[in-house]
Amino acid sequence: MNPIVSDIKTIDESRQGEAFYLPDTEDINDIILKRFYIESYGCQMNFSDSEIVASILSECRYKPTQDIEKANLILLNTCSIREKAEETIRKRLRTIDKIKISRPGTMVGILGCMAERLKQSLLEDEKLVDLVVGPDAYRDLPRLLNQVEDGDKGINVYLSREETYADISPVRLESNGVTAFISIMRGCDNMCSFCVVPFTRGRERSRDPFTIVSEASHLFERGYREVTLLGQNVDSYKWQHPETHETYSFARLLEQVANVHPDLRVRFSTSHPKDMTDDVLHVMARHENICKYIHLPVQSGSSRVLSLMNRTYDREWYKNRIEAIRQIVPECAVSSDIIAGFCTETDEDHKETLSMMAWADYCMSYMFSYSERPGTLAARKYTDDIDEDTKKTRLSEIIALQRQLSAEHNARDVGKTFKVLIEGDSRKSESEFKGRNSQNKMIVFPKAPGLNPGNYVHVFIESSNSATLLGRIVTN
Ligand code: 5AD
Ligand code: SF4
């Protein structure tokens, strides 16, 4: 039977345009009572949460549909990280309202960070929404849905100190059957002054490592060949056995997941420079299947701005962490998040960001201009005093430099051979595969007979641009 295309979508730039598939299901048409349609916005964590939501909904006989017009329940899993993300959702809600008006009885729900941030006001002000559910309240969805079906509104934005959804087996909505996300922790205790996440996702808590390793093993048995361990700050993963009191650090967890099988690749995201230990780097160096790629957001290259951002490290500390990576895992690629135009940022500070980017030689960055978020430390303590034009100019300089660094990075890979995990057909052609090397670079190459997604191949790189490497399969 062909896979059923679900309509989980993500607006994360790196994933935009991908289709997502559900595993085969027997006689699905016989057992479906109701259908839900879900769109995910923002970070990978939201995408992973949508898979937990799909699992919880399947228990109350909701099945996903790719056709919003056929859905009894329309869900938006939302992001609040920047104002623009919230505007996108509001616009989308107004479009969805037309469907709701044309098909009375259709329920609309807001999940995730925006639900948490705006709470009751989403139900009251908008009148477009029936259901508002925060990131820690997804288990309550069946009860809330009953409430909505009975004509009431459903809201639960309770933030938990314990919820990790450890026992829930996510319904994999990933398209390729090769790569999957595993949430290892939730929330964040860091309080970076610009960031709304600690308010929308609550306190940091780590998931039972045994359930993480078992989820990775099951994925491997089902043909998956890559897992990405997800958390806002994976380096502060910490779990204590309730009986033995033995503690598990991220380094220990990473090693255990790597030991599931040598053919299961392991990635992780996001690392925080203040917490990234040499222990983790040594574990990476010891295991070929732990991908040699670290997303280590710097945010700014200026120590003064970093202090205002409450990042709790300075430029020197960050450089020291990069030097440790270069020494312990020399082939490791590093990417970053960068914010242009944070409060009080001078031209000099901005230049320090550019020089840090060049020094760190990022293979890739996610780049943003500062967007003040209500309730954050920065909104309360500082003035958003950099005008939009200056933010825009600085951001475009950062983007131009990153484009150049990525192109140079990729050009240096021409002539090298990489082990690549095949993920599927390339976007442009059915006669080509796409896959990633350990350093997370996308590689496109002509297909060869007998190969399928999930297989590893060696690819010789013949050419490159700033986004992709192009090559051909070689025997070794
Ligand atoms: N403005 C701009 N960028 C932000 N980020 C988080 N909060 C803001 C904000 N208020 C960026 C940071 C973070 C990434 C996920 O989003 O770079 O690492
Ligand atoms: Fe936000 Fe900082 Fe936590 Fe990342 S580490 S989620 S930027 S508070």
Side-chain angles (χ1 to χ4, degrees), residues 143-159:
R143 184 187 71 83
L144 294 167
L145 282 169
N146 280 337
Q147 223 166 286
V148 175
E149 282 166 6
D150 290 344
D152 290 332
K153 300 276 183 185
I155 178 164
N156 187 342
V157 287
Y158 172 72
L159 281 177

Side-chain angles (χ1 to χ4, degrees), residues 81-82 194-195 297 299 337-339 368-371 373:
I81 202 116
R82 282 168 291 278
F194 50 80
C195 187
Q299 312 295 1
D337 290 347
I338 296 162
I339 299 178
F368 315 101
S369 67
Y370 174 59
S371 161
R373 306 310 291 131

Side-chain angles (χ1 to χ4, degrees), residues 43 80-83 192-197 232 270 295 297-299 309 311 336-340 342 366-373 376 378:
C43 64
S80 286
I81 202 116
R82 282 168 291 278
E83 199 179 344
C192 299
S193 64
F194 50 80
C195 187
V196 80
V197 167
Q232 305 295 346
T270 297
H295 185 57
V298 70
Q299 312 295 1
M309 287 177 163
R311 289 289 287 179
S336 193
D337 290 347
I338 296 162
I339 299 178
F342 186 67
Y366 295 103
M367 300 155 285
F368 315 101
S369 67
Y370 174 59
S371 161
E372 186 179 82
R373 306 310 291 131
T376 55

Side-chain angles (χ1 to χ4, degrees), residues 16-158:
Q16 218 163 5
E18 286 182 24
F20 299 97
Y21 296 86
L22 261 187
D24 285 2
T25 311
E26 290 162 38
D27 298 322
I28 195 157
N29 291 319
D30 296 338
I31 56 168
I32 288 172
L33 290 180
K34 291 168 201 148
R35 289 177 185 269
F36 73 93
Y37 168 98
I38 187 166
E39 285 178 9
S40 302
Y41 294 78
C43 64
Q44 291 172 332
M45 190 65 101
N46 258 7
F47 182 73
S48 170
D49 278 2
S50 291
E51 298 186 328
I52 288 167
V53 168
S55 175
I56 292 166
L57 288 176
S58 73
E59 310 246 305
C60 39
R61 305 182 81 187
Y62 272 88
K63 296 291 168 199
T65 173
Q66 60 171 328
D67 187 352
I68 192 167
E69 300 285 344
K70 290 203 184 110
N72 309 90
L73 170 64
I74 299 171
L75 296 172
L76 302 183
N77 195 353
T78 61
C79 172
S80 286
I81 202 116
R82 282 168 291 278
E83 199 179 344
K84 216 166 132 205
E86 289 195 354
E87 278 164 17
T88 307
I89 306 282
R90 288 183 190 283
K91 230 188 249 162
R92 188 72 181 124
L93 271 180
R94 284 191 284 278
T95 314
I96 289 172
D97 199 45
K98 297 196 182 100
I99 300 173
K100 201 164 151 54
I101 290 166
S102 70
R103 278 207 340 270
T106 308
M107 298 174 283
V108 176
I110 293 283
L111 313 177
C113 289
M114 216 172 143
E116 196 60 54
R117 202 179 81 73
L118 300 172
K119 303 188 170 83
Q120 191 78 30
S121 71
L122 266 176
L123 291 173
E124 285 162 4
D125 303 347
E126 312 264 339
K127 306 259 188 283
L128 309 172
V129 174
D130 305 292
L131 193 66
V132 175
V133 191
D136 286 345
Y138 298 144
R139 280 184 208 269
D140 199 22
L141 269 165
R143 184 187 71 83
L144 294 167
L145 282 169
N146 280 337
Q147 223 166 286
V148 175
E149 282 166 6
D150 290 344
D152 290 332
K153 300 276 183 185
I155 178 164
N156 187 342
V157 287
Y158 172 72

Side-chain angles (χ1 to χ4, degrees), residues 192-373:
C192 299
S193 64
F194 50 80
C195 187
V196 80
V197 167
F199 305 96
T200 59
R201 289 193 161 264
R203 299 304 298 267
E204 190 173 285
R205 63 227 102 111
S206 298
R207 179 178 165 190
D208 177 337
F210 301 101
T211 66
I212 297 169
V213 173
S214 135
E215 193 173 324
S217 303
H218 283 124
L219 285 164
F220 184 76
E221 282 159 19
R222 283 166 47 199
Y224 285 82
R225 290 295 174 265
E226 184 181 296
V227 292
T228 302
L229 308 180
L230 287 183
Q232 305 295 346
N233 177 8
V234 290
D235 303 281
S236 61
Y237 176 90
K238 194 170 171 216
W239 189 84
Q240 191 171 43
H241 195 289
E243 278 140 34
T244 62
H245 302 295
E246 219 183 333
T247 57
Y248 282 73
S249 64
F250 180 59
R252 188 168 177 192
L253 174 74
L254 185 61
E255 184 133 54
Q256 295 205 344
V257 178
N259 283 334
V260 164
H261 197 283
D263 283 340
L264 181 70
R265 272 187 174 178
V266 188
R267 298 187 185 276
F268 55 88
S269 187
T270 297
S271 303
H272 195 299
K274 85 175 158 66
D275 296 318
M276 196 197 65
T277 62
D278 288 359
D279 281 357
V280 168
L281 299 176
H282 287 298
V283 171
M284 288 178 79
R286 274 203 298 277
H287 293 266
E288 190 269 338
N289 59 330
I290 302 180
C291 291
K292 305 300 181 270
Y293 169 70
I294 300 180
H295 185 57
L296 194 70
V298 70
Q299 312 295 1
S300 167
S302 151
S303 294
R304 190 186 69 82
V305 173
L306 286 170
S307 163
L308 294 179
M309 287 177 163
N310 199 28
R311 289 289 287 179
T312 68
Y313 57 85
D314 61 10
R315 188 179 167 93
E316 287 317 305
W317 174 279
Y318 187 88
K319 283 176 120 177
N320 167 282
R321 294 292 74 212
I322 296 275
E323 271 160 0
I325 295 171
R326 286 178 182 160
Q327 200 190 345
I328 301 168
V329 200
E331 72 277 38
C332 191
V334 180
S335 62
S336 193
D337 290 347
I338 296 162
I339 299 178
F342 186 67
C343 313
T344 79
E345 187 187 72
T346 62
D347 278 338
E348 215 36 60
D349 294 319
H350 170 60
K351 280 191 190 123
E352 286 200 276
T353 297
L354 295 174
S355 72
M356 176 63 96
M357 289 172 68
W359 182 85
D361 192 22
Y362 297 126
C363 61
M364 194 270 292
S365 292
Y366 295 103
M367 300 155 285
F368 315 101
S369 67
Y370 174 59
S371 161
E372 186 179 82
R373 306 310 291 131

